[in-house]
PDB file of all heavy atoms in Angstrom:
ATOM      1  N   SER A   1       8.679  -7.351   9.332  1.00 97.00           N
ATOM      2  CA  SER A   1       9.178  -8.370  10.241  1.00 97.00           C
ATOM      3  C   SER A   1       7.941  -9.051  10.806  1.00 97.00           C
ATOM      4  O   SER A   1       6.881  -8.447  10.867  1.00 97.00           O
ATOM      5  CB  SER A   1       9.972  -7.756  11.383  1.00 97.00           C
ATOM      6  OG  SER A   1      11.071  -7.022  10.902  1.00 97.00           O
ATOM      7  N   TYR A   2       8.077 -10.285  11.199  1.00 97.00           N
ATOM      8  CA  TYR A   2       6.945 -11.002  11.782  1.00 97.00           C
ATOM      9  C   TYR A   2       7.375 -11.644  13.088  1.00 97.00           C
ATOM     10  O   TYR A   2       8.316 -12.441  13.123  1.00 97.00           O
ATOM     11  CB  TYR A   2       6.438 -12.085  10.803  1.00 97.00           C
ATOM     12  CG  TYR A   2       5.221 -12.821  11.296  1.00 97.00           C
ATOM     13  CD1 TYR A   2       3.970 -12.259  11.188  1.00 97.00           C
ATOM     14  CD2 TYR A   2       5.349 -14.059  11.894  1.00 97.00           C
ATOM     15  CE1 TYR A   2       2.844 -12.938  11.635  1.00 97.00           C
ATOM     16  CE2 TYR A   2       4.229 -14.752  12.352  1.00 97.00           C
ATOM     17  CZ  TYR A   2       2.981 -14.175  12.220  1.00 97.00           C
ATOM     18  OH  TYR A   2       1.874 -14.842  12.680  1.00 97.00           O
ATOM     19  N   HIS A   3       6.730 -11.224  14.144  1.00 96.00           N
ATOM     20  CA  HIS A   3       6.944 -11.854  15.448  1.00 96.00           C
ATOM     21  C   HIS A   3       5.761 -11.505  16.342  1.00 96.00           C
ATOM     22  O   HIS A   3       4.994 -10.589  16.062  1.00 96.00           O
ATOM     23  CB  HIS A   3       8.273 -11.424  16.084  1.00 96.00           C
ATOM     24  CG  HIS A   3       8.452  -9.959  16.274  1.00 96.00           C
ATOM     25  ND1 HIS A   3       8.001  -9.281  17.383  1.00 96.00           N
ATOM     26  CD2 HIS A   3       9.023  -9.027  15.481  1.00 96.00           C
ATOM     27  CE1 HIS A   3       8.307  -8.006  17.275  1.00 96.00           C
ATOM     28  NE2 HIS A   3       8.926  -7.824  16.124  1.00 96.00           N
ATOM     29  N   ASP A   4       5.591 -12.301  17.381  1.00 94.00           N
ATOM     30  CA  ASP A   4       4.480 -12.111  18.324  1.00 94.00           C
ATOM     31  C   ASP A   4       3.136 -12.146  17.608  1.00 94.00           C
ATOM     32  O   ASP A   4       2.178 -11.484  18.029  1.00 94.00           O
ATOM     33  CB  ASP A   4       4.650 -10.815  19.110  1.00 94.00           C
ATOM     34  CG  ASP A   4       5.958 -10.755  19.888  1.00 94.00           C
ATOM     35  OD1 ASP A   4       6.397 -11.818  20.398  1.00 94.00           O
ATOM     36  OD2 ASP A   4       6.574  -9.674  19.962  1.00 94.00           O
ATOM     37  N   GLY A   5       3.051 -12.909  16.503  1.00 96.00           N
ATOM     38  CA  GLY A   5       1.797 -13.057  15.777  1.00 96.00           C
ATOM     39  C   GLY A   5       1.380 -11.854  14.950  1.00 96.00           C
ATOM     40  O   GLY A   5       0.249 -11.810  14.473  1.00 96.00           O
ATOM     41  N   CYS A   6       2.287 -10.895  14.772  1.00 98.00           N
ATOM     42  CA  CYS A   6       1.952  -9.655  14.041  1.00 98.00           C
ATOM     43  C   CYS A   6       3.015  -9.313  13.012  1.00 98.00           C
ATOM     44  O   CYS A   6       4.160  -9.752  13.115  1.00 98.00           O
ATOM     45  CB  CYS A   6       1.818  -8.480  15.015  1.00 98.00           C
ATOM     46  SG  CYS A   6       0.462  -8.625  16.171  1.00 98.00           S
ATOM     47  N   PHE A   7       2.624  -8.499  12.052  1.00 98.00           N
ATOM     48  CA  PHE A   7       3.525  -7.944  11.060  1.00 98.00           C
ATOM     49  C   PHE A   7       3.939  -6.549  11.525  1.00 98.00           C
ATOM     50  O   PHE A   7       3.082  -5.756  11.922  1.00 98.00           O
ATOM     51  CB  PHE A   7       2.841  -7.832   9.693  1.00 98.00           C
ATOM     52  CG  PHE A   7       2.542  -9.155   9.067  1.00 98.00           C
ATOM     53  CD1 PHE A   7       1.377  -9.831   9.387  1.00 98.00           C
ATOM     54  CD2 PHE A   7       3.414  -9.723   8.159  1.00 98.00           C
ATOM     55  CE1 PHE A   7       1.086 -11.054   8.806  1.00 98.00           C
ATOM     56  CE2 PHE A   7       3.136 -10.954   7.578  1.00 98.00           C
ATOM     57  CZ  PHE A   7       1.980 -11.622   7.896  1.00 98.00           C
ATOM     58  N   TRP A   8       5.236  -6.270  11.470  1.00 98.00           N
ATOM     59  CA  TRP A   8       5.780  -4.989  11.949  1.00 98.00           C
ATOM     60  C   TRP A   8       6.505  -4.310  10.798  1.00 98.00           C
ATOM     61  O   TRP A   8       7.324  -4.938  10.132  1.00 98.00           O
ATOM     62  CB  TRP A   8       6.744  -5.246  13.096  1.00 98.00           C
ATOM     63  CG  TRP A   8       6.126  -5.952  14.263  1.00 98.00           C
ATOM     64  CD1 TRP A   8       5.880  -7.293  14.373  1.00 98.00           C
ATOM     65  CD2 TRP A   8       5.670  -5.366  15.476  1.00 98.00           C
ATOM     66  NE1 TRP A   8       5.305  -7.570  15.577  1.00 98.00           N
ATOM     67  CE2 TRP A   8       5.164  -6.405  16.281  1.00 98.00           C
ATOM     68  CE3 TRP A   8       5.657  -4.074  15.972  1.00 98.00           C
ATOM     69  CZ2 TRP A   8       4.635  -6.190  17.544  1.00 98.00           C
ATOM     70  CZ3 TRP A   8       5.137  -3.852  17.227  1.00 98.00           C
ATOM     71  CH2 TRP A   8       4.628  -4.898  18.005  1.00 98.00           C
ATOM     72  N   MET A   9       6.207  -3.016  10.576  1.00 98.00           N
ATOM     73  CA  MET A   9       6.786  -2.297   9.461  1.00 98.00           C
ATOM     74  C   MET A   9       7.205  -0.898   9.892  1.00 98.00           C
ATOM     75  O   MET A   9       6.373  -0.121  10.353  1.00 98.00           O
ATOM     76  CB  MET A   9       5.766  -2.162   8.333  1.00 98.00           C
ATOM     77  CG  MET A   9       5.362  -3.471   7.713  1.00 98.00           C
ATOM     78  SD  MET A   9       3.766  -3.369   6.884  1.00 98.00           S
ATOM     79  CE  MET A   9       2.807  -4.457   7.914  1.00 98.00           C
ATOM     80  N   PHE A  10       8.476  -0.598   9.754  1.00 98.00           N
ATOM     81  CA  PHE A  10       8.946   0.762   9.940  1.00 98.00           C
ATOM     82  C   PHE A  10       8.717   1.513   8.631  1.00 98.00           C
ATOM     83  O   PHE A  10       8.925   0.962   7.546  1.00 98.00           O
ATOM     84  CB  PHE A  10      10.443   0.792  10.278  1.00 98.00           C
ATOM     85  CG  PHE A  10      10.754   0.663  11.741  1.00 98.00           C
ATOM     86  CD1 PHE A  10      11.534  -0.365  12.199  1.00 98.00           C
ATOM     87  CD2 PHE A  10      10.269   1.593  12.656  1.00 98.00           C
ATOM     88  CE1 PHE A  10      11.833  -0.491  13.554  1.00 98.00           C
ATOM     89  CE2 PHE A  10      10.564   1.481  14.009  1.00 98.00           C
ATOM     90  CZ  PHE A  10      11.347   0.446  14.456  1.00 98.00           C
ATOM     91  N   SER A  11       8.303   2.766   8.721  1.00 97.00           N
ATOM     92  CA  SER A  11       8.056   3.581   7.533  1.00 97.00           C
ATOM     93  C   SER A  11       8.367   5.041   7.825  1.00 97.00           C
ATOM     94  O   SER A  11       7.988   5.562   8.880  1.00 97.00           O
ATOM     95  CB  SER A  11       6.597   3.455   7.098  1.00 97.00           C
ATOM     96  OG  SER A  11       6.301   4.347   6.044  1.00 97.00           O
ATOM     97  N   GLU A  12       9.022   5.682   6.857  1.00 95.00           N
ATOM     98  CA  GLU A  12       9.291   7.116   6.998  1.00 95.00           C
ATOM     99  C   GLU A  12       8.003   7.919   6.913  1.00 95.00           C
ATOM    100  O   GLU A  12       7.892   9.000   7.483  1.00 95.00           O
ATOM    101  CB  GLU A  12      10.232   7.604   5.880  1.00 95.00           C
ATOM    102  CG  GLU A  12      11.580   6.946   5.881  1.00 95.00           C
ATOM    103  CD  GLU A  12      11.617   5.656   5.053  1.00 95.00           C
ATOM    104  OE1 GLU A  12      10.555   5.151   4.619  1.00 95.00           O
ATOM    105  OE2 GLU A  12      12.719   5.133   4.881  1.00 95.00           O
ATOM    106  N   GLY A  13       7.041   7.422   6.157  1.00 95.00           N
ATOM    107  CA  GLY A  13       5.784   8.126   5.924  1.00 95.00           C
ATOM    108  C   GLY A  13       5.255   7.733   4.560  1.00 95.00           C
ATOM    109  O   GLY A  13       5.591   6.679   4.041  1.00 95.00           O
ATOM    110  N   GLY A  14       4.429   8.573   3.968  1.00 95.00           N
ATOM    111  CA  GLY A  14       3.891   8.318   2.648  1.00 95.00           C
ATOM    112  C   GLY A  14       2.367   8.312   2.637  1.00 95.00           C
ATOM    113  O   GLY A  14       1.725   8.452   3.683  1.00 95.00           O
ATOM    114  N   ARG A  15       1.835   8.149   1.458  1.00 96.00           N
ATOM    115  CA  ARG A  15       0.387   8.263   1.288  1.00 96.00           C
ATOM    116  C   ARG A  15      -0.408   7.156   1.969  1.00 96.00           C
ATOM    117  O   ARG A  15      -1.602   7.304   2.210  1.00 96.00           O
ATOM    118  CB  ARG A  15       0.049   8.317  -0.205  1.00 96.00           C
ATOM    119  CG  ARG A  15       0.770   9.459  -0.892  1.00 96.00           C
ATOM    120  CD  ARG A  15       0.022  10.506  -1.641  1.00 96.00           C
ATOM    121  NE  ARG A  15      -1.376  10.630  -1.514  1.00 96.00           N
ATOM    122  CZ  ARG A  15      -2.226  10.556  -2.543  1.00 96.00           C
ATOM    123  NH1 ARG A  15      -1.773  10.304  -3.765  1.00 96.00           N
ATOM    124  NH2 ARG A  15      -3.503  10.730  -2.367  1.00 96.00           N
ATOM    125  N   LYS A  16       0.242   6.050   2.306  1.00 97.00           N
ATOM    126  CA  LYS A  16      -0.475   4.989   3.026  1.00 97.00           C
ATOM    127  C   LYS A  16      -1.083   5.528   4.318  1.00 97.00           C
ATOM    128  O   LYS A  16      -2.108   5.054   4.790  1.00 97.00           O
ATOM    129  CB  LYS A  16       0.429   3.791   3.289  1.00 97.00           C
ATOM    130  CG  LYS A  16       1.580   4.050   4.232  1.00 97.00           C
ATOM    131  CD  LYS A  16       2.500   2.844   4.287  1.00 97.00           C
ATOM    132  CE  LYS A  16       3.932   3.216   4.483  1.00 97.00           C
ATOM    133  NZ  LYS A  16       4.551   3.976   3.428  1.00 97.00           N
ATOM    134  N   PHE A  17      -0.453   6.556   4.893  1.00 97.00           N
ATOM    135  CA  PHE A  17      -0.951   7.133   6.141  1.00 97.00           C
ATOM    136  C   PHE A  17      -2.234   7.928   5.932  1.00 97.00           C
ATOM    137  O   PHE A  17      -2.984   8.144   6.872  1.00 97.00           O
ATOM    138  CB  PHE A  17       0.136   7.967   6.818  1.00 97.00           C
ATOM    139  CG  PHE A  17       1.235   7.109   7.395  1.00 97.00           C
ATOM    140  CD1 PHE A  17       2.361   6.801   6.663  1.00 97.00           C
ATOM    141  CD2 PHE A  17       1.091   6.572   8.671  1.00 97.00           C
ATOM    142  CE1 PHE A  17       3.340   5.986   7.179  1.00 97.00           C
ATOM    143  CE2 PHE A  17       2.080   5.748   9.189  1.00 97.00           C
ATOM    144  CZ  PHE A  17       3.209   5.453   8.444  1.00 97.00           C
ATOM    145  N   GLU A  18      -2.494   8.342   4.689  1.00 96.00           N
ATOM    146  CA  GLU A  18      -3.757   9.003   4.372  1.00 96.00           C
ATOM    147  C   GLU A  18      -4.918   8.046   4.633  1.00 96.00           C
ATOM    148  O   GLU A  18      -5.918   8.415   5.259  1.00 96.00           O
ATOM    149  CB  GLU A  18      -3.742   9.415   2.902  1.00 96.00           C
ATOM    150  CG  GLU A  18      -4.458  10.699   2.603  1.00 96.00           C
ATOM    151  CD  GLU A  18      -4.236  11.128   1.177  1.00 96.00           C
ATOM    152  OE1 GLU A  18      -3.085  11.389   0.772  1.00 96.00           O
ATOM    153  OE2 GLU A  18      -5.249  11.207   0.438  1.00 96.00           O
ATOM    154  N   GLY A  19      -4.762   6.817   4.160  1.00 96.00           N
ATOM    155  CA  GLY A  19      -5.789   5.801   4.407  1.00 96.00           C
ATOM    156  C   GLY A  19      -5.846   5.400   5.864  1.00 96.00           C
ATOM    157  O   GLY A  19      -6.915   5.277   6.463  1.00 96.00           O
ATOM    158  N   LEU A  20      -4.666   5.178   6.469  1.00 97.00           N
ATOM    159  CA  LEU A  20      -4.620   4.741   7.868  1.00 97.00           C
ATOM    160  C   LEU A  20      -5.239   5.767   8.813  1.00 97.00           C
ATOM    161  O   LEU A  20      -5.787   5.403   9.847  1.00 97.00           O
ATOM    162  CB  LEU A  20      -3.180   4.446   8.282  1.00 97.00           C
ATOM    163  CG  LEU A  20      -2.549   3.195   7.671  1.00 97.00           C
ATOM    164  CD1 LEU A  20      -1.058   3.138   7.977  1.00 97.00           C
ATOM    165  CD2 LEU A  20      -3.257   1.943   8.159  1.00 97.00           C
ATOM    166  N   SER A  21      -5.121   7.045   8.466  1.00 97.00           N
ATOM    167  CA  SER A  21      -5.664   8.081   9.362  1.00 97.00           C
ATOM    168  C   SER A  21      -7.180   7.968   9.506  1.00 97.00           C
ATOM    169  O   SER A  21      -7.734   8.430  10.489  1.00 97.00           O
ATOM    170  CB  SER A  21      -5.291   9.467   8.859  1.00 97.00           C
ATOM    171  OG  SER A  21      -6.016   9.804   7.687  1.00 97.00           O
ATOM    172  N   GLN A  22      -7.852   7.349   8.517  1.00 97.00           N
ATOM    173  CA  GLN A  22      -9.303   7.224   8.546  1.00 97.00           C
ATOM    174  C   GLN A  22      -9.801   5.801   8.670  1.00 97.00           C
ATOM    175  O   GLN A  22     -10.982   5.579   8.957  1.00 97.00           O
ATOM    176  CB  GLN A  22      -9.875   7.820   7.251  1.00 97.00           C
ATOM    177  CG  GLN A  22      -9.563   9.289   7.085  1.00 97.00           C
ATOM    178  CD  GLN A  22     -10.038   9.769   5.734  1.00 97.00           C
ATOM    179  OE1 GLN A  22     -11.209   9.649   5.413  1.00 97.00           O
ATOM    180  NE2 GLN A  22      -9.116  10.327   4.949  1.00 97.00           N
ATOM    181  N   ASN A  23      -8.903   4.817   8.401  1.00 98.00           N
ATOM    182  CA  ASN A  23      -9.350   3.426   8.366  1.00 98.00           C
ATOM    183  C   ASN A  23      -8.177   2.517   8.696  1.00 98.00           C
ATOM    184  O   ASN A  23      -7.243   2.413   7.902  1.00 98.00           O
ATOM    185  CB  ASN A  23      -9.898   3.098   6.972  1.00 98.00           C
ATOM    186  CG  ASN A  23     -10.397   1.684   6.835  1.00 98.00           C
ATOM    187  OD1 ASN A  23     -10.440   0.932   7.807  1.00 98.00           O
ATOM    188  ND2 ASN A  23     -10.763   1.323   5.635  1.00 98.00           N
ATOM    189  N   LEU A  24      -8.221   1.878   9.838  1.00 98.00           N
ATOM    190  CA  LEU A  24      -7.136   1.000  10.258  1.00 98.00           C
ATOM    191  C   LEU A  24      -7.268  -0.426   9.736  1.00 98.00           C
ATOM    192  O   LEU A  24      -6.417  -1.268  10.018  1.00 98.00           O
ATOM    193  CB  LEU A  24      -7.007   1.013  11.783  1.00 98.00           C
ATOM    194  CG  LEU A  24      -6.556   2.349  12.378  1.00 98.00           C
ATOM    195  CD1 LEU A  24      -6.609   2.315  13.908  1.00 98.00           C
ATOM    196  CD2 LEU A  24      -5.171   2.743  11.897  1.00 98.00           C
ATOM    197  N   ASN A  25      -8.329  -0.711   8.968  1.00 98.00           N
ATOM    198  CA  ASN A  25      -8.463  -2.023   8.332  1.00 98.00           C
ATOM    199  C   ASN A  25      -7.541  -2.061   7.124  1.00 98.00           C
ATOM    200  O   ASN A  25      -7.557  -1.143   6.287  1.00 98.00           O
ATOM    201  CB  ASN A  25      -9.905  -2.271   7.896  1.00 98.00           C
ATOM    202  CG  ASN A  25     -10.822  -2.329   9.082  1.00 98.00           C
ATOM    203  OD1 ASN A  25     -10.639  -3.149   9.979  1.00 98.00           O
ATOM    204  ND2 ASN A  25     -11.818  -1.464   9.123  1.00 98.00           N
ATOM    205  N   VAL A  26      -6.702  -3.090   7.048  1.00 98.00           N
ATOM    206  CA  VAL A  26      -5.722  -3.199   5.977  1.00 98.00           C
ATOM    207  C   VAL A  26      -5.713  -4.606   5.416  1.00 98.00           C
ATOM    208  O   VAL A  26      -6.277  -5.533   6.009  1.00 98.00           O
ATOM    209  CB  VAL A  26      -4.297  -2.843   6.470  1.00 98.00           C
ATOM    210  CG1 VAL A  26      -4.242  -1.394   6.970  1.00 98.00           C
ATOM    211  CG2 VAL A  26      -3.825  -3.799   7.550  1.00 98.00           C
ATOM    212  N   CYS A  27      -5.044  -4.761   4.294  1.00 98.00           N
ATOM    213  CA  CYS A  27      -4.787  -6.068   3.718  1.00 98.00           C
ATOM    214  C   CYS A  27      -3.359  -6.032   3.214  1.00 98.00           C
ATOM    215  O   CYS A  27      -2.908  -5.023   2.682  1.00 98.00           O
ATOM    216  CB  CYS A  27      -5.750  -6.357   2.574  1.00 98.00           C
ATOM    217  SG  CYS A  27      -5.619  -8.052   1.948  1.00 98.00           S
ATOM    218  N   LEU A  28      -2.652  -7.122   3.447  1.00 98.00           N
ATOM    219  CA  LEU A  28      -1.299  -7.204   2.900  1.00 98.00           C
ATOM    220  C   LEU A  28      -1.179  -8.507   2.131  1.00 98.00           C
ATOM    221  O   LEU A  28      -1.858  -9.479   2.412  1.00 98.00           O
ATOM    222  CB  LEU A  28      -0.226  -7.044   3.963  1.00 98.00           C
ATOM    223  CG  LEU A  28      -0.110  -8.073   5.087  1.00 98.00           C
ATOM    224  CD1 LEU A  28       0.779  -9.234   4.689  1.00 98.00           C
ATOM    225  CD2 LEU A  28       0.493  -7.387   6.304  1.00 98.00           C
ATOM    226  N   ALA A  29      -0.320  -8.486   1.119  1.00 98.00           N
ATOM    227  CA  ALA A  29      -0.102  -9.660   0.283  1.00 98.00           C
ATOM    228  C   ALA A  29       1.391  -9.979   0.227  1.00 98.00           C
ATOM    229  O   ALA A  29       2.219  -9.074   0.111  1.00 98.00           O
ATOM    230  CB  ALA A  29      -0.649  -9.427  -1.126  1.00 98.00           C
ATOM    231  N   ILE A  30       1.685 -11.265   0.320  1.00 98.00           N
ATOM    232  CA  ILE A  30       3.041 -11.788   0.150  1.00 98.00           C
ATOM    233  C   ILE A  30       2.913 -12.828  -0.957  1.00 98.00           C
ATOM    234  O   ILE A  30       1.987 -13.650  -0.930  1.00 98.00           O
ATOM    235  CB  ILE A  30       3.551 -12.461   1.434  1.00 98.00           C
ATOM    236  CG1 ILE A  30       3.419 -11.527   2.630  1.00 98.00           C
ATOM    237  CG2 ILE A  30       4.976 -12.951   1.265  1.00 98.00           C
ATOM    238  CD1 ILE A  30       3.577 -12.227   3.967  1.00 98.00           C
ATOM    239  N   TYR A  31       3.820 -12.824  -1.898  1.00 96.00           N
ATOM    240  CA  TYR A  31       3.667 -13.772  -3.005  1.00 96.00           C
ATOM    241  C   TYR A  31       4.989 -14.009  -3.715  1.00 96.00           C
ATOM    242  O   TYR A  31       5.915 -13.204  -3.648  1.00 96.00           O
ATOM    243  CB  TYR A  31       2.633 -13.254  -4.013  1.00 96.00           C
ATOM    244  CG  TYR A  31       2.864 -11.829  -4.429  1.00 96.00           C
ATOM    245  CD1 TYR A  31       3.637 -11.531  -5.537  1.00 96.00           C
ATOM    246  CD2 TYR A  31       2.326 -10.776  -3.690  1.00 96.00           C
ATOM    247  CE1 TYR A  31       3.866 -10.214  -5.900  1.00 96.00           C
ATOM    248  CE2 TYR A  31       2.562  -9.465  -4.047  1.00 96.00           C
ATOM    249  CZ  TYR A  31       3.327  -9.182  -5.156  1.00 96.00           C
ATOM    250  OH  TYR A  31       3.566  -7.888  -5.510  1.00 96.00           O
ATOM    251  N   ASP A  32       5.056 -15.157  -4.377  1.00 93.00           N
ATOM    252  CA  ASP A  32       6.203 -15.515  -5.199  1.00 93.00           C
ATOM    253  C   ASP A  32       5.895 -15.137  -6.646  1.00 93.00           C
ATOM    254  O   ASP A  32       4.728 -15.002  -7.028  1.00 93.00           O
ATOM    255  CB  ASP A  32       6.462 -17.024  -5.149  1.00 93.00           C
ATOM    256  CG  ASP A  32       6.939 -17.498  -3.787  1.00 93.00           C
ATOM    257  OD1 ASP A  32       7.192 -16.677  -2.900  1.00 93.00           O
ATOM    258  OD2 ASP A  32       7.045 -18.736  -3.621  1.00 93.00           O
ATOM    259  N   LYS A  33       6.932 -15.036  -7.434  1.00 90.00           N
ATOM    260  CA  LYS A  33       6.779 -14.803  -8.859  1.00 90.00           C
ATOM    261  C   LYS A  33       5.951 -15.935  -9.458  1.00 90.00           C
ATOM    262  O   LYS A  33       6.167 -17.104  -9.125  1.00 90.00           O
ATOM    263  CB  LYS A  33       8.161 -14.758  -9.503  1.00 90.00           C
ATOM    264  CG  LYS A  33       8.157 -14.605 -10.991  1.00 90.00           C
ATOM    265  CD  LYS A  33       9.577 -14.629 -11.538  1.00 90.00           C
ATOM    266  CE  LYS A  33       9.530 -14.668 -13.043  1.00 90.00           C
ATOM    267  NZ  LYS A  33      10.867 -14.804 -13.608  1.00 90.00           N
ATOM    268  N   TYR A  34       5.003 -15.606 -10.330  1.00 87.00           N
ATOM    269  CA  TYR A  34       4.181 -16.627 -10.970  1.00 87.00           C
ATOM    270  C   TYR A  34       5.047 -17.486 -11.885  1.00 87.00           C
ATOM    271  O   TYR A  34       5.771 -16.972 -12.735  1.00 87.00           O
ATOM    272  CB  TYR A  34       3.038 -15.988 -11.763  1.00 87.00           C
ATOM    273  CG  TYR A  34       2.196 -17.016 -12.475  1.00 87.00           C
ATOM    274  CD1 TYR A  34       1.299 -17.787 -11.765  1.00 87.00           C
ATOM    275  CD2 TYR A  34       2.339 -17.239 -13.838  1.00 87.00           C
ATOM    276  CE1 TYR A  34       0.528 -18.746 -12.407  1.00 87.00           C
ATOM    277  CE2 TYR A  34       1.571 -18.195 -14.491  1.00 87.00           C
ATOM    278  CZ  TYR A  34       0.673 -18.945 -13.764  1.00 87.00           C
ATOM    279  OH  TYR A  34      -0.079 -19.903 -14.391  1.00 87.00           O
TER     280      TYR A  34
END
């Protein structure tokens, strides 16, 4: 979801938290089919 100038994501968990636990710098991509 996008509001207040930020992206908001609910998540049950998963391996993404392995990276987040050590590094809060992220990149996200949004794209249409080529």
Side-chain angles (χ1 to χ4, degrees):
S1 301
Y2 183 80
H3 57 87
D4 302 323
C6 295
F7 292 85
W8 301 79
M9 296 158 246
F10 272 121
S11 173
E12 299 88 350
R15 303 237 13 238
K16 65 187 147 296
F17 288 93
E18 214 172 298
L20 289 171
S21 72
Q22 299 174 57
N23 180 5
L24 293 174
N25 296 302
V26 299
C27 187
L28 63 88
I30 307 166
Y31 49 91
D32 292 353
K33 176 182 172 185
Y34 178 75

